[in-house]
Amino acid sequence: QVQLQESGPGLVKPSETLSLTCTVSGYSISSGYYWSWIRQSPGKGLEWIATIFHSGTTYFNPSLKSRVTISEDTSKNQFSLRLSSVTAADTAVYHCARYTGGNGFYFDYWGRGTLVTVSS
Amino acid sequence: QSALTQPPSASGSPGQSVTISCTGTSSDVGGYNYVSWYQHHPGKAPKLIIYEVTKRPSGVPDRFSGSKSGNTASLTVSGLQAEDEADYFCSSHAGSNYVFGSGTKVTVL
């Protein structure tokens, strides 16, 4: 059974960088599939942030691209998100998920999500 | 502002059916047969229940069904059960982007 678990600080100050890690169990991220970050803000719904393929190829939401970095650590079976210059608008529950890419374009496994609040 | 529009709520009695709409544009829902639906019980991980408009993953009851007409996709839950009470959201491939619906809270009366 594939499981994903997000981790990282729950509080980030404005203008600083948000950093989250997703630990995957039950599947090796270097074996295939794509790995994504998605967030849900109050009143704004869900928003896809970024996706990484195990080869290192990355894809970004155009509206966030300039502030986002996504990376993977296959030795730890983890992938990570960094979002720079955060504002209150970045307050959200951040989910990591496995994405099928061109084989159906859907997210088949998700993490429960972690709440990140941007506040001084 | 979500890219795909869903009604904020829907409800039905046990055994009844409820249908949730998901309206997008020709650049997402209408342009691709890659609409998926997810069930989300608060505090738990979202669960895939429909992909590629009509397909169900293994283990998802056939009470859940999907369809699409033009720029609007729909999820029908037949034979409502208490455990179906949850948030449901749609999503669609959109070329170089990926968009989600605003979510619908389904209440089992």
Side-chain angles (χ1 to χ4, degrees):
Chain A
Q1 175 75 350
V2 180
Q3 293 185 314
L4 297 92
Q5 176 69 56
E6 305 87 351
S7 60
L11 181 64
V12 181
K13 290 182 168 56
S15 80
E16 295 190 344
T17 296
L18 176 161
S19 295
L20 296 173
T21 295
C22 181
T23 301
V24 180
S25 59
Y27 189 86
S28 171
I29 64 172
S30 60
S31 294
Y33 283 94
Y34 297 72
W35 306 92
S36 299
W37 288 97
I38 298 154
R39 69 182 183 181
Q40 184 165 23
S41 309
K44 194 177 178 181
L46 286 149
E47 181 178 34
W48 167 67
I49 302 170
T51 294
I52 187 167
F53 187 55
H54 70 87
S55 66
T57 305
T58 54
Y59 308 85
F60 300 97
N61 185 321
S63 69
L64 297 168
K65 183 175 182 178
S66 64
R67 299 194 291 131
V68 173
T69 303
I70 186 170
S71 59
E72 61 180 5
D73 185 338
T74 55
S75 67
K76 296 181 179 179
N77 217 36
Q78 296 175 334
F79 63 104
S80 298
L81 172 74
R82 288 172 58 86
L83 179 65
S84 64
S85 305
V86 297
T87 69
D90 295 310
T91 293
V93 173
Y94 286 76
H95 294 273
C96 56
R98 190 175 82 168
Y99 180 55
T100 61
N103 189 24
F105 298 100
Y106 55 89
F107 301 93
D108 59 354
Y109 292 97
W110 296 62
R112 291 188 177 194
T114 186
L115 175 62
V116 178
T117 302
V118 178
S119 175
S120 56
Chain B
Q1 201 79 10
S2 297
L4 305 179
T5 302
Q6 297 180 234
S9 63
S11 62
S13 299
Q16 290 186 331
S17 295
V18 64
T19 296
I20 304 166
S21 61
C22 169
T23 301
T25 70
S26 58
S27 297
D28 39 65
V29 174
Y32 306 91
N33 286 323
Y34 293 124
V35 175
S36 49
W37 289 90
Y38 304 85
Q39 179 189 63
H40 188 202
H41 289 104
K44 295 191 173 183
K47 176 186 177 183
L48 174 71
I49 54 173
I50 295 287
Y51 66 99
E52 294 181 34
V53 180
T54 61
K55 298 178 181 179
R56 282 188 315 275
S58 174
V60 173
D62 59 6
R63 303 185 293 103
F64 294 91
S65 62
S67 62
K68 190 185 86 166
S69 178
N71 295 337
T72 298
S74 298
L75 171 72
T76 297
V77 186
S78 305
L80 270 174
Q81 299 182 5
E83 60 262 35
D84 298 332
E85 184 161 299
D87 295 321
Y88 293 82
F89 57 90
C90 59
S91 63
S92 176
H93 177 61
S96 60
N97 205 340
Y98 198 91
V99 292
F100 290 93
S102 45
T104 299
K105 180 174 178 56
V106 169
T107 301
V108 181
L109 301 170

